[in-house]
Amino acid sequence: MTSDRLYHSKGGDIPISQKDMLVTWHLLPTVAMREMIEWKVPVRPAEPEAYLHVWQVTAHMLGIKDEYVPATWDAAYAQSGQILPRDMGPTQERRSGVTGARAT
């Protein structure tokens, strides 16, 4: 990743790096696609590529440099393994099996 930074519109001194934006980006399309596959959600053959394309355009519009935008799902999964925080995982509620109720 380069040190190129964008700045938050409300606090001009708060840097947002390419890596910061990619973390947010991967939390949406890559994690969602991975979960849909894991949950065996039925999708038509063309849908995964169309879904990736929508998110590629979104990444570009957000200001992520095109060279960092994954071209394939395999590339997205590989990049997410490098980008997403290592301590991400299931919430305490998911680990304890709590569903539909607020754990205390």
Side-chain angles (χ1 to χ4, degrees):
M1 294 292 117
T2 68
S3 61
D4 294 338
R5 294 189 178 274
L6 298 176
Y7 289 88
H8 193 278
S9 63
K10 293 183 181 179
D13 59 343
I14 302 171
I16 302 171
S17 70
Q18 293 287 299
K19 183 177 179 181
D20 294 337
M21 290 189 290
L22 279 165
V23 166
T24 300
W25 186 86
H26 278 292
L27 288 172
L28 298 167
T30 309
V31 171
M33 180 56 73
R34 190 177 282 139
E35 291 295 317
M36 286 192 291
I37 290 168
E38 182 181 321
W39 297 342
K40 297 180 179 22
V41 173
V43 293
R44 288 179 241 149
E47 288 176 338
E49 295 311 310
Y51 183 64
L52 178 61
H53 180 72
V54 167
W55 281 104
Q56 289 167 328
V57 172
T58 303
H60 177 81
M61 299 296 289
L62 289 171
I64 297 172
K65 291 185 172 188
D66 291 340
E67 64 208 61
Y68 299 132
V69 179
T72 66
W73 281 115
D74 287 341
Y77 298 140
Q79 187 183 63
S80 71
Q82 298 169 352
I83 297 290
L84 294 178
R86 300 288 178 221
D87 60 353
M88 287 186 62
T91 62
Q92 181 61 37
E93 292 82 3
R94 184 170 180 187
R95 283 191 296 271
S96 66
V98 174
T99 59
R102 195 168 159 190
T104 57

